[in-house]
Amino acid sequence: MTNDDSSNSSFLADVLKTMQDMFAQAMPGNGADLADGLKGLLPDGIATGDLGEWAKSSTELQKMWLEFVTHQAKQAAEGAAKGKNLLDPAQWLVISQSMAKQLPQGGFEAQTKLAQDSLALWKGVAERFVAKATGGDAAAEQDAELPIKDRRFSDPAWRDHPAFALLHQNYLMLTQYFQQSVKSMQGLDKEKRRQLQFAVTALSEAMSPDNFLLTNPVVMKRTVETKGQNLVRGMRHLITDLKRGQLTHTDPDAFTLGENLAASPGKVVYETPMFQLVQYSPSTKDVYEVPLVIFPPWINRFYILDLTPKKSFIKWAVDQGLTVFVVSWKSADESMADVVWDDYIRSQIEAIDTVRERLKVPHVHAIGYCVAGTTLAATLALLARRDEADKVKSATFFTAQVDFEKSGELKHFIEDGHLDMIGKLSQKGYLDGRYLAATFNALRGKDLIWNYVVNNYLLGEDYPAFDLLHWNGDVTNLPSKWHNDYLRDLYRDNKLVVPDALSADETPIDLTRVKTPSFVQAGREDHIAPAESVWRITDHFSGPLEFLLAGSGHIAGVVNPPAAGKYQYWVGDSDAPSLKAYVESAQEHPGSWWPHWLGWLERQNDAKVPATGKRKPGGRGDKVIEDAPGRYVKTR
């Protein structure tokens, strides 16, 4: 370990120790004290004699957990210098030595503000409970509302008892203090500051009082009411998840592919070691002449676009008269150890050519979602270089990035150590999809990790039947060689926007050669592919392009059927010099953007033909492989 590495690890340990000490001071002094305070929370007729022992045990468990969290973070810091343990969020705190040198600056002001906020907090809580205890009117009590609000503490139990009110308000105040300290810290470049902010947020979320039995009044009350059965159910959930090696978000038995998910009728009409090609049965007498080929991201299952019938983009597109094909990527196994960038681009071209040959048409419309949209852009550039651009009549991009300079929170995972770790975790040539799922969950830890820890492990609640969460947990393995190249060449080095810096199938890639009419959709609240990053495609393509900004994020911004009547979208000047200028020029429209996209597609070619022959997959003389959704999407 170098001197710099040792200093960084020492600095991280100091930061974590400070966070632990300050959070610990916000926690109750001992179990018995809190047990006395809990009497008002207990239902009538419940004895409290044993509660002190329960609380004492819980305090010990909490102390053990906090010590474990700190130990793991410290170990991650030490391991980060050696390229180990880099999945732990604490690794993102290991930054340059200059950070430690800059830490004292502004400390007095920050500590002064913390002291002032602490006094204000105590005053606010005291005023609220004095007003309540003296029988003040509702308006007076409302005026003394708690100063910091967070939906994790929305249950009245967090507000109605002074101990818990002070506890969670103190925690929220300390969290704000640490986050503000990062913002005001001098000598950090923008990227290192973002990494530190991410790490502080992750650790603060892990230490939230609602994550622990003793410091969560809702869990304590549930435990007494059920005589501990909630903890028994929670332990059962925990053991099941530990066996799976993955956090459960939804009832695993609620959905079956081909029955109540991915159930749109169709056939698998073509298959390779990389993908299956699914063609969907028409529901209209006539269909558009130009077929549609959808390339979903290979990091997820394709049925995000074919959830329940009411949410299915595929079904909706078929009902509008489109002949729809979808590529179902194979989840990686040992046979795909040597799969790289070229193989996915060749597969997209192969799918396009297969549809053209099958339906005897000169070209197709293509959709690329997320990472498959990135690859579609490269495919279009390659076809342009080969004078074969006319194979694609139009291209649509769902939340897809080609310029990764402003690519959002996933950039926290592209340090050399993390890339090396992926190689170590991929001994058989593929990365287990559970690691990627953990990465995406970490981006929204409060919603996708700790919320379920509280509800399913502590409260012992049953899992809901939620189609989107079922899909989210249906992980896909990735070819490790290609995944590493993708993170290194695109996310880290941003080579795709440098003409001829990358090649595929022995053909240099230059995005400025792409003149295919393109429709680009971005999500206003997308944290995986930020709208600002998606917008950058307008700087690189040379052909006609329409940009659309949808409400919501990476999934709900795309999967927003018209019948739902949700969200909105904005249409502005796609030639604007920046996304900000686009938004200023844009007009807001309520509901789904799908019909607007269909209108754009019709303007490219609105000719129709009868839905006969191979437009109906599996008809007379048409040899197909199997029913949709096919085997690949079901392979684990």
Side-chain angles (χ1 to χ4, degrees):
M1 181 182 292
T2 67
N3 290 334
D4 283 347
D5 292 333
S6 178
S7 298
N8 282 334
S9 297
S10 176
F11 169 68
L12 174 59
D14 290 343
V15 171
L16 294 173
K17 183 64 166 61
T18 299
M19 290 182 70
Q20 183 195 25
D21 290 346
M22 295 185 74
F23 278 122
Q25 291 172 17
M27 300 299 183
N30 60 70
D33 290 344
L34 189 59
D36 290 338
L38 278 169
K39 293 178 181 178
L41 292 172
L42 302 181
D44 293 339
I46 298 294
T48 62
D50 295 332
L51 193 56
E53 292 300 316
W54 287 29
K56 180 179 178 182
S57 299
S58 298
T59 302
E60 293 173 356
L61 287 171
Q62 177 194 317
K63 180 180 178 182
M64 291 169 60
W65 174 252
L66 284 173
E67 290 175 351
F68 170 76
V69 169
T70 305
H71 172 74
Q72 288 296 99
K74 183 178 179 181
Q75 290 293 105
E78 294 172 352
K82 304 175 184 178
K84 299 178 181 179
N85 251 359
L86 295 175
L87 262 183
D88 196 304
Q91 66 171 298
W92 301 304
L93 280 170
V94 184
I95 57 177
S96 66
Q97 176 63 20
S98 64
M99 221 174 114
K101 296 177 181 178
Q102 295 295 337
L103 185 60
Q105 297 187 19
F108 179 77
E109 293 180 4
Q111 292 177 21
T112 300
K113 185 178 188 304
L114 178 61
Q116 293 172 343
D117 289 347
S118 297
L119 289 174
L121 173 62
W122 279 84
K123 183 175 182 291
V125 173
E127 286 177 351
R128 185 178 191 276
F129 285 99
V130 166
K132 185 175 181 179
T134 57
D137 58 27
E141 188 175 338
Q142 182 67 30
D143 289 341
E145 272 296 317
L146 297 176
I148 312 176
K149 292 181 172 56
D150 187 295
R151 60 187 176 85
R152 287 173 292 178
F153 309 105
S154 60
D155 192 284
W158 288 103
R159 302 187 300 274
D160 291 346
H161 194 286
F164 291 117
L166 263 178
L167 176 65
H168 87 268
Q169 287 290 301
N170 231 359
Y171 159 77
L172 292 172
M173 180 189 64
L174 289 172
T175 297
Q176 291 181 352
Y177 167 74
F178 282 113
Q179 291 171 340
Q180 186 57 44
S181 295
V182 174
K183 291 180 181 179
S184 61
M185 196 175 290
Q186 301 178 27
L188 292 180
D189 63 51
K190 186 180 296 185
E191 183 57 33
K192 294 302 182 184
R193 191 181 304 278
R194 282 198 294 261
Q195 290 177 355
L196 185 57
Q197 287 173 331
F198 181 79
V200 167
T201 297
L203 290 172
S204 298
E205 289 173 351
M207 293 179 176
S208 174
D210 71 321
N211 296 334
F212 307 108
L213 172 61
L214 176 63
T215 52
N216 188 326
V218 181
V219 174
M220 287 295 292
K221 188 173 182 179
R222 176 74 61 85
T223 301
V224 174
E225 289 173 343
T226 66
K227 298 181 180 179
Q229 285 302 301
N230 59 306
L231 300 181
V232 174
R233 290 192 298 270
M235 182 60 71
R236 189 177 298 120
H237 292 326
L238 174 60
I239 291 173
T240 299
D241 285 354
L242 289 174
K243 289 179 179 178
R244 293 178 66 235
Q246 184 182 354
L247 188 68
T248 299
H249 292 111
T250 187
D251 181 355
D253 299 320
F255 300 100
T256 302
L257 297 189
E259 295 182 12
N260 55 0
L261 282 183
S264 294
K267 305 289 183 181
V268 176
V269 297
Y270 187 74
E271 180 178 310
T272 78
M274 290 283 294
F275 68 92
Q276 287 188 317
L277 185 64
V278 183
Q279 180 183 354
Y280 290 90
S281 303
S283 60
T284 56
K285 181 180 179 181
D286 296 321
V287 293
Y288 289 98
E289 181 180 32
V290 182
L292 175 66
V293 183
I294 301 176
F295 298 106
W298 57 82
I299 60 175
N300 301 112
R301 307 287 179 173
F302 80 85
Y303 64 88
I304 184 58
L305 297 176
D306 192 27
L307 293 172
T308 58
K310 290 183 179 180
K311 298 179 182 178
S312 173
F313 175 82
I314 289 171
K315 182 181 185 304
W316 178 85
V318 168
D319 289 344
Q320 308 314 304
L322 287 163
T323 302
V324 178
F325 292 81
V326 173
V327 166
S328 175
W329 300 106
K330 182 180 179 181
S331 181
D333 55 25
E334 295 181 40
S335 69
M336 298 176 67
D338 294 323
V339 166
V340 292
W341 162 260
D342 307 55
D343 296 293
Y344 281 99
I345 291 177
R346 278 194 291 261
S347 292
Q348 289 192 337
I349 295 173
E350 185 174 3
I352 290 168
D353 286 341
T354 298
V355 173
R356 292 172 58 245
E357 173 61 27
R358 176 175 172 80
L359 299 184
K360 308 302 180 186
V361 294
H363 38 231
V364 303
H365 297 302
I367 291 177
Y369 192 167
C370 189
V371 294
T374 305
T375 311
L376 178 60
T379 297
L380 296 176
L382 184 148
L383 291 174
R385 176 84 71 167
R386 294 177 176 177
D387 295 325
E388 297 176 346
D390 58 351
K391 289 183 177 182
V392 180
K393 182 67 176 177
S394 78
T396 297
F397 298 87
F398 291 170
T399 64
Q401 303 171 94
V402 299
D403 187 326
F404 291 82
E405 181 184 357
K406 297 185 177 182
S407 54
E409 293 176 348
L410 282 176
K411 294 194 77 170
H412 300 313
F413 298 87
I414 59 172
E415 298 292 335
D416 286 338
H418 182 77
L419 299 178
D420 291 341
M421 178 205 64
I422 291 176
K424 294 174 183 177
L425 292 174
S426 311
Q427 299 292 325
K428 296 182 179 180
Y430 65 90
L431 181 67
D432 191 316
R434 290 173 296 181
Y435 290 113
L436 191 66
T439 299
F440 282 106
N441 286 343
L443 296 179
R444 287 294 179 269
K446 185 163 62 176
D447 296 325
L448 293 178
I449 297 177
W450 299 111
N451 176 54
Y452 292 91
V453 167
V454 173
N455 288 339
N456 302 123
Y457 297 165
L458 297 181
L459 291 174
E461 294 181 352
D462 292 329
Y463 295 107
F466 190 2
D467 52 4
L468 181 58
L469 289 178
H470 180 93
W471 166 85
N472 186 63
D474 193 358
V475 299
T476 305
N477 301 331
L478 305 178
S480 59
K481 185 179 293 185
W482 163 226
H483 183 58
N484 244 338
D485 288 346
Y486 181 84
L487 293 177
R488 182 179 289 107
D489 292 341
L490 302 186
Y491 264 93
R492 190 189 68 184
D493 298 337
N494 204 20
K495 291 182 178 180
L496 184 55
V497 295
V498 180
D500 298 345
L502 294 175
S503 296
D505 203 21
E506 301 182 350
T507 304
I509 295 171
D510 180 359
L511 296 184
T512 64
R513 290 175 174 263
V514 177
K515 298 181 179 179
T516 304
S518 299
F519 185 99
V520 179
Q521 175 267 338
R524 184 182 62 174
E525 300 166 15
D526 195 331
H527 63 279
I528 295 175
E532 181 68 32
S533 182
V534 174
W535 168 264
R536 292 291 189 91
I537 198 172
T538 65
D539 296 332
H540 303 289
F541 281 9
S542 300
L545 183 149
E546 179 165 338
F547 185 90
L548 179 143
L549 185 63
S552 198
H554 197 68
I555 302 301
V558 174
V559 184
N560 183 25
K566 295 176 65 177
Y567 308 125
Q568 66 286 102
Y569 64 95
W570 292 264
V571 178
D573 180 10
S574 297
D575 294 322
S578 66
L579 178 62
K580 181 180 179 181
Y582 173 89
V583 172
E584 290 173 351
S585 72
Q587 181 177 354
E588 181 178 339
H589 302 270
S592 173
W593 56 269
W594 294 1
H596 180 88
W597 167 79
L598 182 64
W600 177 86
L601 204 68
E602 287 178 327
R603 291 194 293 275
Q604 312 311 310
N605 189 320
D606 62 357
K608 290 192 174 184
V609 297
T612 58
K614 290 190 176 181
R615 296 276 178 165
K616 290 184 175 181
R620 180 178 298 179
D622 183 22
K623 185 178 179 180
V624 298
I625 297 171
E626 59 188 339
D627 289 339
R631 302 187 320 282
Y632 281 13
V633 74
K634 298 177 182 179
T635 302
R636 299 293 171 263

